[in-house]
Amino acid sequence: MKILANCKKAIPTREDGGKVIIIDIVIGAPSGLLLEAQLLMDVAMMVVTKGRQRDENDWRDLFSKAGFSDYNIVKKLGARGIFEVYP
């Protein structure tokens, strides 16, 4: 959250073209092998970093707490999503 908050301070307003682009895992709706891959990445995160992967609601909360006003999922690439996050 600290990194996102600092990004928000460093970028211009949305009207001036400011946004942050994030590419990361989004746990969610897929089924079959894609869901299995997402869950395995989640387990790896827990073991290696004591963290976890986030679903879209978790991302929304994180963006909000960091002070961003809006976001858009531009594309989902397998288990990953591309977020555009706006100040």
Side-chain angles (χ1 to χ4, degrees):
M1 190 164 64
K2 288 180 184 181
I3 293 170
L4 282 174
N6 285 330
C7 288
K8 184 179 181 299
K9 290 178 191 175
I11 62 173
T13 64
R14 184 175 186 171
E15 293 76 26
D16 292 332
K19 67 180 169 183
V20 175
I21 296 174
I22 298 171
I23 302 172
D24 207 340
I25 303 297
V26 181
I27 300 292
S31 60
L33 291 176
L34 189 55
L35 178 61
E36 185 177 328
Q38 288 176 342
L39 295 176
L40 286 172
M41 286 184 241
D42 193 27
V43 170
M45 261 312 252
M46 286 187 278
V47 171
V48 175
T49 67
K50 297 186 175 129
R52 63 180 179 83
Q53 298 297 340
R54 296 174 175 91
D55 63 14
E56 187 175 349
N57 293 328
D58 294 330
W59 281 110
R60 182 182 320 116
D61 292 343
L62 183 63
F63 299 148
S64 177
K65 287 178 184 174
F68 288 92
S69 63
D70 195 17
Y71 74 95
N72 183 29
I73 297 180
V74 179
K75 191 169 192 173
K76 290 193 177 177
L77 305 167
R80 289 179 173 80
I82 300 175
F83 292 92
E84 290 180 338
V85 188
Y86 303 101

